[in-house]
Amino acid sequence: MTERATFFDTSLLYLKGLGQLRADMLGKELNLFTFGDLIQYYPFRYDDRSRYYTISELMESMPSAQIRGRLRDWYTEGEGHKKRLVGKFTDDTGTLSLVWFQSITTIEKMLRREGEYIVYGKPQSFNGQFSIIHPEMDNLATGGGQEASFQPVYNLTEKLRRRHLDSKIIAKAVRNLLETAWPHIRETLPDELIQKYRLVGKREAVWNIHLPQNQAWLKQAQRRLKFEELFYNQLRLIKNKLLQKEEFPGQVFRDTSLMKHFYNDLLPFELTDAQQRVIKEIYADFLTGKQMNRLLQGDVGSGKTIVAFIACLMAIGNGAQACIMAPTEILADQHYNGLKPFADAMGLNLGILTGSTNRKRRVVLHDELRAGKMHILVGTHALLEDVVQYKNLGLCIIDEQHRFGVAQRAKLWNKNETVPPHILVMTATPIPRTLAMTLYGNLDVSVIDELPKGRKPIKTVHKYDKHRSEVFGFMRQQLQLGRQVYVVYPLIEESEKLDYKDLMDGHESMQRAFPRPTYEIGMLHGKMLAYEKDDEMKRFVNRETHIMVATTVIEVGVNVPNASVMVIESAERFGLSQLHQLRGRVGRGAEQSYCIMMTGYKLSSDTRTKLETMVRTNNGFEIADVDLQLRGHGDLAGTQQSGVMDLMLADLAKDGAVLMAARESVEAILQEDPELLLPQNAIIRNQVDSVRKTDNNWSRIS
Ligand code: ADP
Ligand code: MG
């Protein structure tokens, strides 16, 4: 073990001035056990104590303020749980009330009449006078208030706070620790990068992230540590990707004659430029002799299916088989029905396998697959079953990727024992580039960022609940034109019962407004069994029902071109990306389509941004960007099980530029020195090795 490993491994019990009791509490409450743990426990914000305000300058909009003055007097007010201690605090410009509801006796004992204090807290205006509830106070006479002007605030538990283990004590402990740790902290980035991006050194960064000398130093420290974090994050992802490429061969599909035949003689429309670009990217993968692992992102309706089909033709044209896996039976049916005419025209055998495929049919399917007589198999999870074996599976396409787990993907890999099949995952949930890089860092990413020509953009409006009769009128008008309508209610797990009631009430009020026999109303929700959902959906597809009242279960992929209106109830309760997904259920036919978002009157400013964004644009990538800004990356679908959550400092919503710089650096370095053998990269190799050796990540800082 190296000298520095020993140092950062030292138990917090040995930290000067902390003591066993507090060290134990930090371990129990925050999982902080060693010097390394504590150094890496970064503050989550900083109080700006660099500036003082006078009482006359206070405003209620201030999140906090620091005032220097004199404590004139104090007294208690009220009875029982309303009992409070009130201090009168003055400076040359006015009087301020300091108010305590808790620990009144203890606090009273500490107060000094006519003492000079610095108080800090959120000013609140009450009856024309300002007060601060539970202020932080430093007595100037006893030497308080001399600390750094930016004070770190650490995330602490209620229990710690009750035991008076507050941010100030942590900051003091960290200061002690950093003083001793200083010589042990080693640089973790190559000098070249530090110069190029003008980064501050590791020691300065670690010091200033905890105890910033001023705002400028804090910014520098954050930038440096974020860069480092993203650099090693990208290094890991890109390294894995390269390893995977090296490790897994893929079949070469060079012959394009089958695909050209389809393209020239059968394809009923022109491919968009974006579709053509993606097909070229896929073809290039097929020529490398390595397994393709590609993510295809494209907004709803951007035409991913035909790209998938063309990729299948490349595989088939070179003697391999392909499969397309969808998350639901309806979607599998839809793919099958959409592709069947093309397959027939080309003399290709296209099959479908789902939960409802009967046994007799299955036996035939299985035989045909093994004999290589079936060229493309479309289906659901049923494709993963062990009995499904191919003669030579060359390509797997996974639609609506987020519904599948990693384990299931691995099952597909094993469907060809000689060479693993190429994998193309398709998703209609666009995510911003920065997020894709991190979330799917080990996949290559293709993007269809263009809709086929002649599409009518969906008209989107926001209506308040009180305009409901107007909205009903509009629905009636569309229904009379022969169109169909979706009405969607939110479903949020925590309050499923309530939502269910909303849905039922909604269904009832729809029934009143759109009575039988003129109108038939269908209903779709998560509590229904799979076949019940399928039946309901089929009735809607066949136009037996005119209005579909549903929860978000309709979010994914089903194509009903005749549905032209999407009404979203309580739209404020949906996420932006979800609203966009729901809107994507309409606008699939030739007719003008509409999306109507209904809300109550009181809306937060974030909600307004959300609705305005929907009204302004139909572009899924633009929407994904706004969504990321609004919610931060932690909340986005799919991030929970990914490496994104390992990021402690970087915020993908805000640090896109740092991420790009880090990624470019990683790519350039690996291009020149894939094994990190050059002397100037020794520092990186050491870092990677030490992180690999220890499961906890403290070594990142050493
Ligand atoms: P998604 O990307 O949402 O899966 P689809 O593949 O279902 O979209 O395509 C939506 C519709 O657009 C389909 O009816 C498809 O045939 C049609 N389409 C795809 N590409 C084009 C194109 N280049 N020009 C015209 N129509 C297209
Ligand atoms: Mg699709």
Side-chain angles (χ1 to χ4, degrees):
M1 215 181 244
T2 62
E3 178 227 347
R4 44 190 235 277
T6 342
F7 178 82
F8 290 104
D9 269 340
T10 313
S11 162
L12 284 173
L13 287 171
Y14 301 104
L15 181 56
K16 199 176 65 186
L18 190 64
Q20 170 155 11
L21 209 67
R22 286 170 175 164
D24 282 347
M25 280 200 288
L26 288 181
K28 275 208 194 84
E29 291 290 302
L30 301 174
N31 275 329
L32 304 178
F33 298 101
T34 63
F35 286 4
D37 291 343
L38 183 59
I39 292 185
Q40 274 208 110
Y41 198 66
Y42 301 141
F44 80 99
R45 71 179 168 82
Y46 304 82
D47 282 340
D48 181 359
R49 307 288 289 261
S50 59
R51 145 140 221 212
Y52 291 91
Y53 291 88
T54 62
I55 292 173
S56 65
E57 283 175 319
L58 294 181
M59 286 185 294
E60 211 171 4
S61 58
M62 292 174 171
S64 57
Q66 173 170 249
I67 308 119
R68 191 195 288 253
R70 200 171 284 278
L71 183 65
R72 296 294 173 190
D73 198 6
W74 61 84
Y75 49 87
T76 50
E77 261 183 8
E79 286 300 323
H81 69 280
K82 282 194 171 162
K83 188 174 171 193
R84 58 197 178 272
L85 177 66
V86 181
K88 285 293 155 199
F89 188 74
T90 64
D91 65 5
D92 297 339
T93 68
T95 306
L96 172 72
S97 303
L98 308 177
V99 184
W100 293 269
F101 293 96
Q102 274 147 25
S103 316
I104 291 180
T105 2
T106 326
I107 287 165
E108 236 182 321
K109 274 189 207 136
M110 297 196 302
L111 296 179
R112 295 284 165 267
R113 210 173 302 271
E114 294 300 322
E116 246 198 285
Y117 286 93
I118 292 167
V119 303
Y120 182 83
K122 159 123 192 85
Q124 286 173 311
S125 168
F126 191 71
N127 287 341
Q129 222 210 351
F130 275 99
S131 58
I132 294 180
I133 295 169
H134 282 259
E136 274 184 45
M137 290 183 78
D138 284 313
N139 189 341
L140 281 174
T142 57
Q146 310 296 323
E147 291 140 69
S149 47
F150 269 84
Q151 289 185 6
V153 181
Y154 295 90
N155 237 327
L156 298 171
T157 62
E158 196 47 50
K159 200 163 180 184
L160 291 175
R161 245 177 265 124
R162 253 186 282 128
R163 304 267 193 96
H164 304 289
L165 219 173
D166 58 14
S167 285
K168 268 196 188 149
I169 288 175
I170 306 259
K172 220 174 250 165
V174 168
R175 179 181 293 270
N176 278 340
L177 176 54
L178 285 176
E179 276 164 7
T180 359
W182 190 258
H184 299 272
I185 299 175
R186 305 284 163 88
E187 188 45 68
T188 43
L189 287 172
D191 200 42
E192 202 189 315
L193 287 181
I194 294 192
Q195 300 298 334
K196 181 169 175 196
Y197 293 105
R198 295 171 189 277
L199 302 172
V200 296
K202 179 79 172 193
R203 286 177 178 163
E204 289 77 12
V206 171
W207 186 282
N208 281 283
I209 194 108
H210 285 286
L211 308 163
Q213 301 168 39
N214 54 41
Q215 182 86 39
W217 265 106
L218 175 60
K219 285 265 158 338
Q220 286 300 323
Q222 286 172 327
R223 196 169 74 90
R224 144 80 208 216
L225 293 172
K226 283 176 181 179
F227 183 94
E228 175 179 336
E229 181 172 84
L230 292 167
F231 179 87
Y232 283 102
N233 169 282
Q234 291 297 313
L235 182 74
R236 188 165 47 84
L237 292 168
I238 294 173
K239 263 270 191 205
N240 283 346
K241 183 159 89 178
L242 293 177
L243 277 179
Q244 189 173 322
K245 278 203 176 138
E246 239 158 68
E247 197 169 342
F248 299 104
Q251 299 191 52
V252 174
F253 301 145
R254 194 179 305 279
D255 188 338
T256 56
S257 50
L258 186 66
M259 168 202 136
K260 287 213 172 100
H261 163 50
F262 173 71
Y263 190 80
N264 295 329
D265 309 332
L266 292 163
L267 185 66
F269 42 70
E270 288 277 305
L271 292 178
T272 62
D273 289 345
Q275 284 172 317
Q276 292 184 30
R277 189 185 62 233
V278 172
I279 289 166
K280 280 193 193 122
E281 287 166 355
I282 293 171
Y283 184 54
D285 286 349
F286 288 162
L287 295 179
T288 59
K290 305 289 179 193
Q291 186 197 30
M292 171 175 81
N293 275 286
R294 187 169 283 280
L295 174 74
L296 173 54
Q297 288 198 63
D299 226 331
V300 276
S302 61
K304 293 185 290 294
T305 317
I306 209 73
V307 170
F309 184 66
I310 288 173
C312 292
L313 294 180
M314 291 185 208
I316 296 162
N318 290 272
Q321 294 161 289
C323 70
I324 303 178
M325 191 155 83
T328 66
E329 227 168 89
I330 310 171
L331 281 170
D333 277 343
Q334 200 169 291
H335 281 317
Y336 177 77
N337 294 327
L339 297 177
K340 186 78 177 137
F342 294 139
D344 286 349
M346 302 181 76
L348 296 178
N349 185 0
L350 174 79
I352 178 161
L353 175 65
T354 68
S356 44
T357 309
N358 66 34
R359 261 202 46 210
K360 232 170 96 193
R361 179 73 196 126
R362 275 175 198 240
V363 173
V364 178
L365 270 177
H366 293 159
D367 284 349
E368 289 185 340
L369 284 172
R370 270 194 302 269
K373 282 187 204 148
M374 175 162 291
H375 304 102
I376 309 179
L377 180 62
V378 175
T380 55
H381 285 75
L383 299 192
L384 296 171
E385 286 166 20
D386 291 335
V387 286
V388 181
Q389 294 294 335
Y390 301 77
K391 181 169 185 221
N392 175 19
L393 181 63
L395 170 66
C396 290
I397 292 168
I398 304 175
D399 198 9
E400 307 296 354
Q401 177 266 344
H402 56 288
R403 307 273 153 150
F404 287 111
V406 176
Q408 292 167 318
R409 224 180 297 166
K411 272 202 146 177
L412 283 173
W413 280 41
N414 297 327
K415 296 272 173 197
N416 187 326
E417 283 165 12
T418 335
V419 192
H422 296 292
I423 308 276
L424 179 68
V425 290
M426 308 198 292
T427 168
T429 317
I431 52 174
R433 204 172 131 70
T434 51
L435 194 60
M437 275 180 181
T438 313
L439 203 48
Y440 302 111
N442 57 340
L443 298 179
D444 292 306
V445 179
S446 286
V447 174
I448 304 184
D449 49 5
E450 175 184 11
L451 293 184
K453 281 194 207 72
R455 282 280 162 81
K456 291 197 184 87
I458 300 162
K459 287 194 176 141
T460 304
V461 293
H462 169 210
K463 293 277 173 192
Y464 293 110
D465 289 336
K466 65 173 187 185
H467 296 127
R468 186 166 299 277
S469 60
E470 183 194 325
V471 173
F472 280 0
F474 179 75
M475 285 166 61
R476 213 163 276 130
Q477 194 187 320
Q478 288 286 308
L479 289 164
Q480 271 155 18
L481 289 169
R483 314 276 144 68
Q484 288 161 285
V485 177
Y486 291 105
V487 182
V488 176
Y489 290 83
L491 185 65
I492 299 174
E493 246 136 72
E494 296 93 87
S495 58
E496 211 176 295
K497 271 205 188 107
L498 200 108
D499 290 318
Y500 188 66
K501 185 175 176 303
D502 279 358
L503 181 74
M504 292 305 153
D505 290 352
H507 184 259
E508 229 168 77
S509 79
M510 284 296 151
Q511 205 101 63
R512 273 195 302 273
F514 300 92
R516 284 185 176 134
T518 322
Y519 303 107
E520 282 295 329
I521 301 181
M523 183 158 59
L524 209 57
H525 59 80
K527 288 195 173 156
M528 292 162 66
L529 298 171
Y531 79 91
E532 293 174 323
K533 281 192 253 181
D534 266 13
D535 282 352
E536 271 297 326
M537 205 57 220
K538 273 178 198 152
R539 272 157 44 83
F540 192 59
V541 171
N542 298 333
R543 303 196 194 185
E544 288 163 38
T545 48
H546 308 102
I547 300 175
M548 179 63 92
V549 173
T551 60
T552 47
V553 294
I554 61 148
E555 196 182 319
V556 171
V558 182
N559 200 358
V560 184
N562 191 52
S564 67
V565 183
M566 165 64 64
V567 179
I568 305 174
E569 296 282 350
S570 306
E572 67 270 32
R573 287 174 58 191
F574 292 91
L576 186 48
S577 291
Q578 211 176 13
L579 288 171
H580 180 62
Q581 283 298 309
L582 289 171
R583 175 166 62 182
R585 299 301 101 223
V586 298
R588 307 191 138 230
E591 310 303 336
Q592 176 64 56
S593 290
Y594 305 86
C595 172
I596 304 169
M597 301 178 293
M598 309 287 299
T599 73
Y601 222 70
K602 247 184 130 174
L603 299 173
S604 71
S605 79
D606 275 8
T607 301
R608 287 196 186 278
T609 308
K610 209 158 70 178
L611 300 172
E612 280 160 17
T613 306
M614 282 290 291
V615 171
R616 176 170 49 97
T617 178
N618 269 296
N619 181 326
F621 288 93
E622 205 176 322
I623 284 171
D625 260 331
V626 178
D627 199 27
L628 185 57
Q629 301 301 332
L630 286 179
R631 296 201 294 167
H633 65 234
D635 266 356
L636 292 184
T639 52
Q640 267 69 14
Q641 69 263 19
S642 76
V644 178
M645 295 324 272
D646 294 344
L647 299 177
M648 292 189 297
L649 282 174
D651 177 347
L652 295 177
K654 299 194 179 99
D655 300 320
V658 184
L659 174 62
M660 294 303 285
R663 182 165 178 106
E664 276 165 23
S665 311
V666 169
E667 279 170 346
I669 288 170
L670 288 180
Q671 176 104 39
E672 187 192 26
D673 182 17
E675 298 300 324
L676 301 171
L677 297 174
L678 293 174
Q680 67 265 33
N681 294 329
I683 216 167
I684 305 176
R685 200 178 55 246
N686 284 342
Q687 180 65 5
V688 171
D689 287 347
S690 68
V691 171
R692 198 175 293 141
K693 264 185 230 133
T694 57
D695 225 2
N696 52 4
N697 291 328
W698 63 262
S699 37
R700 270 197 239 173
I701 60 108
S702 63

